[in-house]
Amino acid sequence: MTTVNSEKLSSARFAEATDAFVEEFTASVNFDQRMAQQDIQGSLAHAAMLCKIGILTEQELADIRNGLAQISGEITRGEFVWSVKQEDVHMNIEARLTDLIGIAGKKLHTGRSRNDQVATDIRLYLRDEIGNILGQLQRLQLALLDKAEQEADTIMPGFTHLQVAQPVTFGHHLMAWFEMLSRDRERFLDCAKRLNVMPLGAAALAGTSYPLDRFMTAELLGFSRPSNNSLDSVSDRDFAIEFAAAGSVLMMHLSRFSEELVLWASAQFDFIDIPDAFCTGSSIMPQKKNPDVPELVRGKSGRVAGHLISLLMLMKSQPLAYNKDNQEDKEPLFDTADTLVNCLRAFADMMPHVKAKRENMYQSAKRGFATATDLADYLVRKGMAFRDAHEVVGQAVRLGLNSGRDLSELTLAELQGFSAAIGADVFDILSLEGSVAARSLIGGTAPETVRKAICEARHQITG
Ligand code: ARG
C-alpha cells in the first residue's frame, strides 16, 4: 500500500493527493538544492523589479529581503529543512518564505513561473561554475608555463606512432599541453557569452501580462540582456550542452596528458618522477608506486563525455516549450562541473612537483636515431634530391642498428661511404642539441623559440 500526501502546493485543482512514490519519483529537491543560492539571487532581483513597477510595496520588498536572508543563512548553516513534499528547490524556498513573512511571500511569484525561474537558476549556477573552472584552468596553465621554463633546454624524444621521431625539448612538449588548454579556456568563455542571457519574464511559456521591467532584472543579475522569445527561453538547454561539450573536450585533453604521464612514469620510459603525494602503493606488491591521479583523471574523462550524450539525448525531439524531461539536466551538469574542477585542481597541484629525469630523456632520444631527418636535410642542402637523401640515411641507420651506435657515433669515413657529399660539419647537425636548435622558426622546438612562446603565453593568460 502506498501512502498519500495531503499538503500538495497548487492543489486546488486536484481531487486526489499525489501517490507517495510518485511524489518521491518526480521530486528534484534532493539534487537541485545545490542551486539554492542562485534561486535566492534570482528572487531578490525579481522582487526588486516587482517593487519598482508597483506590484510590491517597499515594506513587502523589505520583508522578502529579510526572509530570503534568513533562509540563505539557514541553508548555509545546514539548518534548512528540505521536503520532497515541496518537490524542488524553488517551492521549498518559497514555502519557507511564506512561513516566515506571510502574504508578501505569496506575492513573490507574480509574473514568474518555475519554468523561467529554473532556466535562470541553472544559467546563474553554470556561470559561477565556469568562473571556478577558469580559475583552476589558469592555475594549471601557470604551472605548465613554470615547468616549461625550467625544461626549455631539456631534450627528449618526440614521438609519432609512439616511435621515436625527432628530438624535441620537454618545454616544447609542455607548451603543446598549454595550447590545448588555451583553446579550452576560449571554449568556456564563448559558452559563457551565450549562457549569459536572462529567461525571467518568459513565465510559463508565453510571457506575462504584467509590465515587468526585464532589462532591470537582467542588469541586477549581471545578464547581458533579456532573452528574445519566451517559448525558446523556457525550453532552451543549448548552453548546458555547450558547457558539457567544452567540458568533454577539456577532459579529453586531460586524458591525453594523463596517458603520457602514466607512460613516462613507467620503468620502461622512466622519463619523470611523480611525487609520492600523488601516487599510491599496491596492497600486495611492495615495489609498486602507481600514478593514481593521472589514471583517475583519464578514467573520469568517460563520465563527462557520457553527460554530454545524456544532455543531447535529453533534448532530442522535445516539443516546445518546457517539459518535465528538463529536470534531468541538473545531475549531469553538476557532476560535469565537479569533475572538471577536481581534475583541474589535482593536475594544477601535481604539475609543479613532477620531476623530469633529464638524462633518461636525453639517452632515449639518442637511441632512437632521432636526428635521421636532420641528416637527410643536410644532404639536401648539399644538393641531393630529398628522396635520394632519404635512401642514403636509411643505409646509415641500418649500419647504426647493426653496430649498436647512434648516427652521431658513426665515423666520418663510414658516413662518407654512403655519400661523398658528407663533410666533417655533419656532426654539428647530428647532435641532439644541433637538431633542436635548428628548429627555431615560430612554433618550433628550439629552446630560444620555446622561451619566447612562454613569454607570450604568460602575457596572454595574465595580461
Ligand atoms: N523542478 C523543475 C525542473 O527542474 C522545475 C520546473 C518545473 N515546472 C513545472 N511546471 N513542473 O525543471
Side-chain angles (χ1 to χ4, degrees):
M1 261 306 274
T2 50
T3 51
V4 291
N5 139 45
S6 53
E7 302 164 36
K8 191 166 181 163
L9 198 107
S10 66
S11 63
R13 183 220 183 279
F14 289 85
E16 233 185 315
T18 315
D19 177 274
F21 171 71
V22 170
E23 187 174 83
E24 290 271 350
F25 181 67
T26 55
S28 54
V29 65
N30 288 335
F31 51 86
D32 67 14
Q33 56 181 267
R34 246 178 99 141
M35 305 189 304
Q37 295 302 339
Q38 287 80 9
D39 194 70
I40 290 171
Q41 196 187 347
S43 289
L44 286 170
H46 183 64
M49 182 276 295
L50 289 179
C51 178
K52 188 201 147 206
I53 63 170
I55 288 177
L56 293 177
T57 64
E58 291 288 347
Q59 186 54 54
E60 286 167 334
L61 175 60
D63 290 348
I64 287 173
R65 283 181 171 151
N66 288 334
L68 288 175
Q70 178 170 339
I71 290 170
S72 170
E74 288 172 359
I75 293 170
T76 311
R77 292 189 300 273
E79 292 163 11
F80 192 89
V81 184
W82 299 101
S83 161
V84 287
K85 290 201 187 311
Q86 301 300 346
E87 192 179 322
D88 56 23
V89 61
H90 323 292
M91 301 220 284
N92 268 270
I93 291 178
E94 190 185 323
R96 176 71 182 137
L97 184 65
T98 302
D99 279 353
L100 288 171
I101 65 167
I103 188 83
K106 293 189 184 176
K107 290 189 178 179
L108 173 61
H109 210 50
T110 313
R112 185 174 77 169
S113 152
R114 275 183 299 152
N115 297 351
D116 58 349
Q117 188 178 358
V118 70
T120 304
D121 290 3
I122 319 168
R123 285 172 189 258
L124 290 172
Y125 176 84
L126 286 183
R127 194 172 71 185
D128 291 345
E129 289 289 9
I130 288 176
N132 295 334
I133 290 164
L134 289 173
Q136 293 295 338
L137 195 64
Q138 190 185 40
R139 281 188 64 226
L140 176 54
Q141 286 194 295
L142 286 171
L144 288 174
L145 289 179
D146 290 344
K147 184 79 10 199
E149 217 155 54
Q150 291 161 23
E151 307 296 342
D153 295 289
T154 306
I155 291 176
M156 68 181 291
F159 298 91
T160 57
H161 313 270
L162 207 57
Q163 310 286 321
V164 173
Q166 292 174 349
V168 294
T169 49
F170 187 35
H172 194 52
H173 195 114
L174 290 162
M175 287 304 287
W177 292 354
F178 177 92
E179 284 298 317
M180 297 182 204
L181 293 180
S182 290
R183 293 193 294 275
D184 291 321
R185 177 169 172 267
E186 283 172 27
R187 264 183 283 274
F188 278 107
L189 289 170
D190 188 53
C191 168
K193 265 189 256 157
R194 267 182 299 282
L195 177 150
N196 207 29
V197 168
M198 188 196 68
L200 280 178
L205 78 165
T208 174
S209 55
Y210 297 101
L212 305 187
D213 184 346
R214 299 188 68 208
F215 287 93
M216 174 182 171
T217 320
E219 196 181 320
L220 287 174
L221 291 172
F223 284 115
S224 58
R225 61 175 173 86
S227 56
N228 289 332
N229 179 294
S230 61
L231 290 166
D232 179 50
S233 307
V234 294
S235 80
D236 169 35
R237 293 295 182 274
D238 292 3
F239 62 90
I241 293 172
E242 287 185 31
F243 175 79
S248 296
V249 176
L250 168 59
M251 286 304 295
M252 175 273 287
H253 287 152
L254 293 185
S255 81
R256 296 181 64 189
F257 304 178
S258 296
E259 175 72 3
E260 293 191 308
L261 293 175
V262 170
L263 284 173
W264 294 347
S266 70
Q268 286 64 31
F269 273 85
D270 204 18
F271 281 5
I272 56 167
D273 184 59
I274 300 178
D276 292 357
F278 297 88
C279 297
T280 62
S282 155
S283 55
I284 176 168
M285 297 165 284
Q287 85 283 12
K288 291 289 291 282
K289 174 173 154 183
N290 298 324
D292 288 55
V293 169
E295 286 177 87
L296 196 55
V297 169
R298 186 176 60 186
K300 282 182 187 289
S301 59
R303 65 197 283 161
V304 175
H307 294 326
L308 168 61
I309 302 299
S310 296
L311 291 167
L312 282 167
M313 292 303 102
L314 173 67
M315 296 313 295
K316 181 189 170 296
S317 311
Q318 262 198 52
L320 287 170
Y322 177 85
N323 298 284
K324 182 75 168 178
D325 311 40
N326 286 356
Q327 183 164 291
E328 284 287 297
D329 64 355
K330 318 250 168 357
E331 287 162 294
L333 286 173
F334 297 161
D335 189 68
T336 297
D338 287 346
T339 305
L340 297 180
V341 170
N342 290 337
C343 290
L344 286 167
R345 180 185 160 174
F347 257 64
D349 289 348
M350 176 181 68
M351 275 320 291
H353 307 287
V354 170
K355 230 180 83 231
K357 296 186 171 178
R358 295 175 183 159
E359 185 53 28
N360 293 355
M361 288 181 166
Y362 189 85
Q363 290 307 328
S364 170
K366 249 187 143 174
R367 275 195 307 275
F369 297 98
T371 56
T373 316
D374 295 273
L375 179 56
D377 292 341
Y378 170 89
L379 290 168
V380 168
R381 282 197 299 277
K382 299 273 172 178
M384 192 179 285
F386 183 77
R387 278 291 155 229
D388 294 332
H390 193 279
E391 184 62 25
V392 166
V393 178
Q395 289 164 5
V397 167
R398 179 133 40 88
L399 174 62
L401 278 173
N402 292 340
S403 58
R405 287 174 298 164
D406 178 55
L407 289 178
S408 63
E409 290 159 348
L410 300 182
T411 66
L412 182 59
E414 282 171 328
L415 287 168
Q416 283 174 334
F418 300 117
S419 166
I422 296 177
D425 59 345
V426 75
F427 292 105
D428 299 339
I429 65 100
L430 285 183
S431 74
L432 297 174
E433 289 77 4
S435 172
V436 294
R439 287 166 173 77
S440 59
L441 80 174
I442 182 167
T445 197
E448 122 206 31
T449 306
V450 170
R451 271 190 273 270
K452 258 187 235 150
I454 294 169
C455 207
E456 277 162 30
R458 208 180 276 285
H459 216 75
Q460 174 205 319
I461 63 163
T462 53

